[in-house]
Amino acid sequence: MVSRVESAAATRRALLDAAAELLDIGGPGAVTLREVGARAGVTRGAPYRHFPNKGSLLATIAAEALERLADEVHTVRTDPKASPADKLHRALSALMEIGRRQPHLYRLMFTAPDGDTAAIDAAVQAGDRAQDQFLAVVGDLVGAQHTHHFAALLLTSVHGITDMEANGHLSAHKWQVTSDELVSTLVSMIAQQAGSE
């Protein structure tokens, strides 16, 4: 027999999964609590018992995605067989892969969260955790003194690469370079620059 707590958790999970699917299909505009409930197969009022508004639902989706990214970057960072440069390249590639596969989710992850205080706090904490993991990977390559400078340079560059790639403006035919090659160049340049200071 399923307890009320287990049933509520299953409903919440179904709502989040339905909302994530709708987000992937049509962006935040496609996510409405009514449509999420219908897609999850729950009663019309069920979404409102778990999420007071759409912003809270989207913030929770973003928080989960940021937690997954933080876990992935942590796994990369603790790989004893990879060099610091390799780890940084893999961490950046993990972020770019989200942008390739789920562009609406990618943008949501970097949008200021909305909704109730609990959802906003969870999204901010998840974002901080992902950032801390990324800063640690960068710091392992460039040293603590240069970490924030190079991390900001890398993130802004990778966001630009990901955006250009998603919008079809970074074709290998046009630029004769792939996004992964650009990331390799960035990592090499940063490793060299940090090593010369």
Side-chain angles (χ1 to χ4, degrees), residues 4 20 25 32 50 63 98 113 115 122 128 145 149 158 181 189 192 195:
R4 287 181 68 192
I25 293 166
T32 66
H50 293 273
I98 298 168
D128 289 348
Q145 178 184 358
H149 175 83
V158 165
E181 289 169 338
M189 288 169 54
Q192 270 186 322

Side-chain angles (χ1 to χ4, degrees), residues 33 35 62 80 96 191:
L33 289 174
E35 186 59 33
M96 290 173 61

Side-chain angles (χ1 to χ4, degrees), residues 34-52:
R34 178 177 281 190
E35 186 59 33
V36 167
R39 191 173 196 89
V42 298
T43 63
R44 187 175 283 191
Y48 297 93
R49 287 192 291 277
H50 293 273
F51 303 99

Side-chain angles (χ1 to χ4, degrees), residues 159-174:
H159 282 314
I161 292 167
T162 303
D163 188 55
M164 284 186 69
E165 186 179 54
N167 291 309
H169 298 298
L170 190 61
S171 68
H173 173 73
K174 180 178 181 178

Side-chain angles (χ1 to χ4, degrees), residues 15 46 50 54 59 65 74 84 90-91 93 118 131 135 139 150 163 165 194:
L15 292 167
H50 293 273
K54 175 179 169 174
H74 176 75
R90 286 170 52 196
S93 294
Q131 180 178 322
L135 288 171
F150 286 122
D163 188 55
E165 186 179 54

Side-chain angles (χ1 to χ4, degrees), residues 3-5 9-10 27 61-62 67-68 90 98 108 113 152 176 178:
S3 72
R4 287 181 68 192
V5 171
I61 291 169
E67 288 289 353
R68 287 190 302 272
R90 286 170 52 196
I98 298 168
L108 181 65
Q176 292 161 23
T178 67

Side-chain angles (χ1 to χ4, degrees), residues 85-106:
D86 236 12
K87 292 175 184 183
L88 180 55
H89 190 280
R90 286 170 52 196
L92 292 168
S93 294
L95 178 60
M96 290 173 61
E97 189 59 27
I98 298 168
R100 288 181 184 126
R101 287 183 293 108
Q102 297 174 287
H104 297 298
L105 176 62
Y106 179 85

